[in-house]
Amino acid sequence: MAQIIENQKILEFLELVGRLKHVKRTGWVICNIDDCESIAGHMYRMGLMTFLLTEENNPTNLDRFKCLQIALVHDLAECIVGDITPHCGISPDEKHRQEDEAMKKIAELTGIAGDRMYNLYKEYENQSSPEARFAKDLDRYDMILQAFEYEKRENTPKKLEEFFKATEGKFVHPFIQQLVTELYRQREEFEKKVLLIGTA
């Protein structure tokens, strides 16, 4: 009987997090971006980026597996509370309270695994480890990369400039800083091309 109850809770957990595959990220919805990414899509690419850490670009020996885990859990609470942004009229303190409550509920469904997820979530929220800070870099980088992809798709240079302004100067890890530099270079080239010929 105990195993049945445990399995029921695991199924409830999986259904909850499954919602993230269908919930659109609020920032893109507000900007009227058609067919925009889901929360799960955002976390998926963040997770894949952790695989790009190598001996050459990871001199501080970040724990890649831990970076991956943090990437996969950092927005998990949004399966319950939704993607709350500064535009939603909810204070940062209230946002954190709601998300923390949601993560505790999620953690209760999965026992020891849930404790691990909750601890990683808190580590990310508090930015209390090098891996958490790297995950924050990934979070910001995926956002501006996605913004550039939408600008290219819609042929609208600098349309989503606010996302670049919001992250400017905030990237810490040298590897991500290099990727940011390349992204900015490509974005400038795209703008020049559109201005020159009227279409990309």
Side-chain angles (χ1 to χ4, degrees), residues 31-189:
C31 290
N32 297 311
I33 301 295
D34 291 330
D35 192 27
C36 62
E37 70 170 339
S38 67
I39 296 166
H42 162 63
M43 294 194 295
Y44 175 73
R45 184 157 64 182
M46 278 181 64
L48 281 180
M49 283 193 281
T50 68
F51 284 84
L52 301 177
L53 284 172
T54 65
E55 289 183 7
E56 288 75 25
N57 62 29
N58 182 24
T60 56
N61 293 314
L62 291 171
D63 183 332
R64 284 177 287 186
F65 183 58
K66 188 176 183 181
C67 290
L68 171 62
Q69 288 180 310
I70 293 174
L72 291 176
V73 305
H74 83 287
D75 280 341
L76 210 53
E78 294 177 12
C79 70
I80 294 176
V81 302
D83 183 13
I84 301 170
T85 75
H87 299 285
C88 296
I90 295 174
S91 71
D93 286 346
E94 177 60 16
K95 174 183 186 288
H96 292 311
R97 187 197 67 77
Q98 289 186 23
E99 291 179 343
D100 194 71
E101 193 175 284
M103 280 303 295
K104 285 177 180 174
K105 179 179 178 180
I106 291 167
E108 287 170 2
L109 295 173
T110 50
I112 294 172
D115 293 341
R116 174 69 174 157
M117 285 185 279
Y118 181 77
N119 290 336
L120 288 167
Y121 156 77
K122 291 301 288 185
E123 197 171 308
Y124 178 79
E125 286 294 297
N126 296 326
Q127 291 291 281
S128 58
S129 70
E131 287 79 12
R133 291 187 286 276
F134 181 71
K136 190 65 178 179
D137 267 3
L138 296 181
D139 183 47
R140 290 173 173 146
Y141 184 73
D142 182 67
M143 182 177 72
I144 61 171
L145 176 58
Q146 188 63 65
F148 180 45
E149 289 171 354
Y150 290 144
E151 288 176 340
K152 288 191 293 183
R153 187 184 73 184
E154 298 183 8
N155 202 36
T156 52
K158 299 294 177 76
K159 175 185 176 181
L160 299 171
E161 179 68 12
E162 65 182 282
F163 295 94
F164 290 84
K165 292 292 185 187
T167 58
E168 193 172 4
K170 293 183 178 179
F171 295 95
V172 177
H173 195 277
F175 173 53
I176 303 302
Q177 288 175 339
Q178 291 173 16
L179 294 180
V180 170
T181 299
E182 175 59 20
L183 176 56
Y184 270 73
R185 187 194 67 78
Q186 290 190 21
R187 193 166 177 248
E188 288 298 323
E189 287 297 314

